[in-house]
Amino acid sequence: MPKQVRHDTKRKIEMATDVKTHPLIVSVSPHVRDEESIAKIMWTVNFALLPAFIMSVYYFGPRAVYVTGLCILTAVLSEHLFQKGLNRKITSTDGSAFLTGLLLGMNLPPAVPFYIPIAGSLVAVVITKMLFGGLGYNIFNPALVGRAFLLISWPKLMTIWSTPTAQFLAMDARTTATPLGILKEEGAVKLMEVFGDKASLYSQLLMGNRAGSLGETSAIALLIGAAILIYKRYITWHIPFSFLGTVAVAAWIFGGRGGLFTGDPVIHLLSGGLMLGAFFMATDYVTCPTIKKGQIIFGIGCGAITMLIRLKGGFPEGVMFAILLMNCFAPLIDRGVSPKMFGAVKKKEEKK
Amino acid sequence: MAHTDKSNWELIKNGMFSENTIFRMAISLCPSIAVTNSLKNGFFMGVSVIFVQTMVNLTVSLIRNFINPKIRIPIFMMVIAGYVSLIDMSMAAFARPVYKQIGLYIQLIVAFASIFARAEVFAVKNKIIPSVADGLGMGIGFFLAMIVISFFRELLGKGALWGLPIVSGNPLLIMVLPAGGFFAVGLLMGFFNWVDIRLAERKAAAAETAPSVETTG
């Protein structure tokens, strides 16, 4: 009996969503006619990440393909098997599991052993997404939860940063500290020493010739991808720009060692996972506020927490925790800034 | 003031499975996350709760005819606190290393919702033998939950059981941290619910296919 009920509801949902096979369905407004679909958006975002992926392969060699591929494979496969096992509609080809795997892979250091991408993808897809009800119901960004899980579980393995070599077959790269790690431990002066002068530091950070997670290093490639998404209007400027702006302002005011207003915002903007996080992960439709005003608050919150962790916290990088923390506040922010309902009357204050 | 009409065995089974403190009622979750990072801690916590729950039910049931309903809550508290002090002191004397780790939570048994609830809804209304059976069942249910949770957490988080290393390699450190406690409890709760639904479906399917025999009661 319960099985029958479940089947019926499933069929109803399918009928309601699939307009092509049921063209005469009448539904409540709004009647939007558009070619957009989940799959189209997701595959476009995947495509927008392609430049950053190419740069990661250029700098880190076959390891990049191996780690990212393992992540994607596990993510898609686990979503498929989970939905198959629970008799749900199988959506593993709509690109969202692929995107989760791709983002997770780009957030991992190059030299991780094979079980780290697999465990991370499983946590990301099965625990963070599917157990909460699938795409659209997850509270947290799946890829980031996967990475947080890995960072807390294997703190040593997750902080081995290989030196970028840009030689395709150099497998055993030496390890080094990330720019943010150097900044945290030894300050900006040491960072300048490592990279030469200021101009070469900026250009190296922009191109991505630095240690770090696979996909986060090349700011220019990420910006190209972000431009595609903004041009297609899949993301708006609100979250990324308020996020980056807050980081820049906070870095300028509090980032310097010589007192207030002596920090270097460019280093903070171009290093760490900020570009990847601000354009591709904070803007995840499911886990950010839907109202524009709320998105600006969300971005400012992300930036503030990021800088708090970078400057005062125990970790050198805080983008991941910042986005995850703000994810929990997204529904609250939406409630706080939701516009007044049309025709609703403001409650009169009680007379005393 | 309904007396229970279940047999003692049914009462024990009820506490162990269908009204399991952690996985069904979802109460007393604080210790289930705080002390289950190793099998040893979970075991001692479970044993203490079995003892306290059974003795509290026994005592409350014994004095149920003398308790003035208006002051029953302070009386329950005193009974519970007495037994908790007993186990707290004996553990401090005989199991020093374990006590150092989970001593605080042993004292917190005083505030366990599950123990108080059984005194309030069961022991004060029922005779001695059923009350003891109920307390035993609830205690064993809690004990089993602690064992299952701490088994997985220690095995995954440290690659060990009862302090003895079993698996070498890099364990999942998160499982022995509080965050891992939430993961473990949530996943196990989900798993048991899933098993329950499956069993109910199977039972329903069996009832449908079986020839229509009128079963009443």
Side-chain angles (χ1 to χ4, degrees), chain A residues 1-3 6 85-87 113 115 119 123 127 131 145 148-149 152-155 157, chain B residues 169-175 177 179-180 183 186-187 194 197-198 200-201 204-205 208:
Chain A
M1 197 52 194
K3 204 161 194 175
R6 200 199 289 164
L86 289 187
N87 289 323
Y115 51 84
V123 170
I127 293 182
L131 287 185
V145 173
F149 183 90
I152 296 169
S153 293
W154 291 290
L157 294 172
Chain B
N170 293 302
L172 267 170
L173 194 61
I174 194 171
M175 292 311 284
L177 300 173
F183 272 105
L187 286 176
W194 181 73
I197 293 169
R198 269 295 137 96
E201 263 177 20
E208 267 175 29

Side-chain angles (χ1 to χ4, degrees), chain A residues 161-289:
Chain A
W161 308 109
S162 311
T163 320
T165 53
Q167 291 168 346
F168 194 70
L169 284 172
M171 279 296 279
D172 48 351
R174 286 176 300 120
T175 60
T176 180
T178 60
L180 280 174
I182 300 173
L183 197 63
K184 182 136 204 159
E185 299 299 324
E186 293 157 279
V189 181
K190 172 77 180 173
L191 197 60
M192 297 284 178
E193 267 173 40
V194 172
F195 282 90
D197 57 351
K198 204 166 191 174
S200 106
L201 170 67
Y202 287 169
S203 69
Q204 303 268 42
L205 288 180
L206 197 65
M207 288 309 291
N209 190 11
R210 62 162 171 99
S213 298
L214 284 171
E216 71 178 24
T217 59
S218 177
I220 190 98
L222 289 166
L223 284 172
I224 292 171
I228 296 175
L229 291 186
I230 290 179
Y231 171 72
K232 296 281 281 181
R233 300 205 180 166
Y234 287 162
I235 62 174
T236 54
W237 59 271
H238 301 78
I239 291 178
F241 282 69
S242 55
F243 192 167
L244 297 175
T246 314
V247 167
V249 171
W252 176 53
I253 299 179
F254 302 111
R257 296 226 160 166
L260 294 180
F261 302 105
T262 58
D264 187 344
V266 183
I267 296 177
H268 276 284
L269 279 181
L270 293 180
S271 51
L274 187 62
M275 288 294 164
L276 186 61
F279 285 106
F280 291 94
M281 294 197 284
T283 51
D284 176 12
Y285 293 144
V286 183
T287 54
C288 74

